[in-house]
Amino acid sequence: MAKSKDPPLIDRSTMVFAVAALLAGILCAWLRGVAAVQRAFVGTGDSLLMILPQICGGLIIAGLIQVLIPREAVSRWLGEEAGMRGLFVAEIAGALTPGGPYGSFGIVYALAKVGADIGVLITYLTAWTTLSVLRLVIWEIPFLGANFSLLRFVICLPMGIVAGVISRRLARHWGWSTGSIVK
Amino acid sequence: MTASAVFVWGLVLILGSIAMRRSRGALGKAFQFSVSQGRVLLLRMPLAILLGAFIVEIVPQEMMHSAMGEDSGLGGILFASLAGALLPGGPFVSFPIAVAFYKAGAGAPQLMALLTGWSIWAFHRTLNFEFPMMGTRFITLRMTSSFLFPPFAGLACLVAMNWIKLP
């Protein structure tokens, strides 16, 4: 299944985590004893078992969304919108975009290149990074509980729109067109 | 945990049946994407959770309490926002570490600020993606329009806790 363009299984960032975990483990054994290391391993196993079903499901959802809502469609929605309506569309699109920075920054870069509204782009990115519905379901609720996660969601709800409105005004005030912002 | 698992798998069924109806190749393509994303997490996620578990054991409770505890107030919220901004990587790293801080004695408002700092300030993402792709003007606009959000989220949580009980 793995294609050659896939990232390697053990990349630099995985190595960094491996080394960090190893050092923390040694420090833990030295400061708190072997029993503490054992507790950490048992706790890790429990957490993994608890979140594994959500993560597998979440990965499949991310793949399905990728196929059902292709990047071009999101670009089209965002590219044509402006005004307050544009900010709301961007907020929803951002909250629903799954995956890491490659996907979302790819969309924003492409849209900036064709001169899309800067407020729409900032709202989209801010909603993607604060609201991400998929992240909420897969990671946040299982790890941090529904009360805390939903409160965070509600608190972050206005942030995308607010950031979009402010940045749109700032860009106008400073005389920055989208073309002059992203070269 | 079970409710959110049911929700996730319900969504899988719904989206899966839509994809199946749309075209025959869609399911395979979606699955391929999922697998290529998933293999990256295969090693990194357990390592991140383990790292978080070690942090819980290592960091003295009193230290966490005074830096980011419930009573650390606005100072703790600011400190947590900054700590969040410095966390590298995606949710598979930041959430286990946030849980570790929580277990080690961090307060809910401070945790709220930490996660929002990780979302908005995100030094790692800004340096590696935003700066090379979007340039300084874009970063200036995004940051000036949202740099107050992380401490604001912490304060909002502090206020909300008058009505909502957080574990």
Side-chain angles (χ1 to χ4, degrees):
Chain A
M1 186 55 79
K3 288 168 293 179
S4 55
K5 70 169 187 168
D6 282 344
L9 199 56
I10 302 176
D11 61 0
R12 212 181 59 183
S13 145
T14 308
M15 282 305 291
V16 170
F17 280 115
V19 171
L22 185 69
L23 291 178
I26 292 170
L27 194 64
C28 181
W30 183 48
L31 290 175
R32 309 275 181 254
V34 180
V37 175
Q38 259 170 352
R39 264 202 310 276
F41 270 103
V42 171
T44 301
D46 287 347
S47 302
L48 279 175
L49 281 180
M50 187 186 79
I51 56 170
L52 211 57
Q54 281 99 310
I55 295 196
C56 292
L59 285 168
I60 297 176
I61 294 174
L64 286 168
I65 293 181
Q66 200 81 5
V67 172
L68 288 174
I69 312 176
R71 257 204 221 186
E72 301 81 60
V74 177
S75 300
R76 211 166 48 235
W77 297 337
L78 295 180
E80 288 168 1
E81 296 287 353
M84 267 325 267
R85 208 183 102 110
L87 299 187
F88 281 105
V89 171
E91 172 99 3
I92 295 169
L96 293 178
T97 302
Y102 289 103
S104 40
F105 275 105
I107 290 175
V108 169
Y109 180 73
L111 285 172
K113 278 291 187 196
V114 296
D117 176 69
I118 196 72
V120 167
L121 299 184
I122 300 258
T123 297
Y124 171 78
L125 265 188
T126 307
W128 163 71
T129 189
T130 50
L131 294 180
S132 176
V133 173
L134 199 61
R135 193 184 70 207
L136 179 82
V137 175
I138 306 172
W139 297 99
E140 201 170 352
I141 294 180
F143 271 116
L144 297 165
N147 275 4
F148 181 87
S149 309
L150 294 178
L151 177 62
R152 201 192 62 76
F153 190 84
V154 171
I155 288 176
C156 290
L157 213 50
M159 289 181 179
I161 306 269
V162 171
V165 169
I166 297 178
S167 53
R168 194 183 263 170
R169 288 204 178 162
L170 282 176
R172 199 171 301 154
H173 183 72
W174 291 332
W176 292 355
S177 66
T178 305
S180 79
I181 292 167
V182 181
K183 295 199 179 85
Chain B
M1 161 255 155
T2 29
S4 96
V6 167
F7 178 82
V8 167
W9 283 97
L11 205 55
V12 168
L13 282 181
I14 295 169
L15 293 177
S17 55
I18 297 174
M20 213 153 71
R21 211 172 280 177
R22 191 171 290 183
S23 80
R24 292 198 66 191
L27 274 188
K29 234 165 80 187
F31 190 67
Q32 229 167 24
F33 178 83
S34 310
V35 170
S36 84
Q37 294 265 298
R39 33 194 309 283
V40 181
L41 297 182
L42 213 60
L43 280 170
R44 219 182 283 177
M45 192 187 58
L47 285 172
I49 297 178
L50 187 63
L51 179 61
F54 284 141
I55 292 176
V56 177
E57 297 289 343
I58 295 170
V59 177
Q61 294 257 341
E62 314 83 66
M63 202 167 116
M64 189 56 90
H65 275 298
S66 63
M68 282 200 263
E70 204 109 317
D71 302 322
S72 62
L74 185 60
I77 286 175
L78 289 174
F79 179 77
S81 304
L82 204 63
L86 291 169
L87 280 186
F92 47 88
V93 187
S94 46
F95 283 93
I97 290 180
V99 171
F101 285 178
Y102 212 15
K103 283 185 187 158
Q110 286 73 20
L111 204 64
M112 191 73 74
L114 182 128
L115 289 174
T116 316
W118 167 76
S119 296
I120 299 271
W121 291 351
F123 295 148
H124 175 78
R125 198 191 63 216
T126 305
L127 266 178
N128 286 307
F129 289 91
E130 209 169 0
F131 177 65
M133 275 179 97
M134 312 302 299
T136 42
R137 282 191 169 187
F138 187 87
I139 295 177
T140 309
L141 279 178
R142 196 182 64 78
M143 285 294 187
T144 27
S145 62
S146 58
F147 76 99
L148 284 177
F149 289 171
F152 167 80
L155 290 174
C157 178
L158 198 65
V159 173
M161 281 169 77
N162 287 318
W163 298 284
I164 301 168
K165 201 179 167 306
L166 294 175

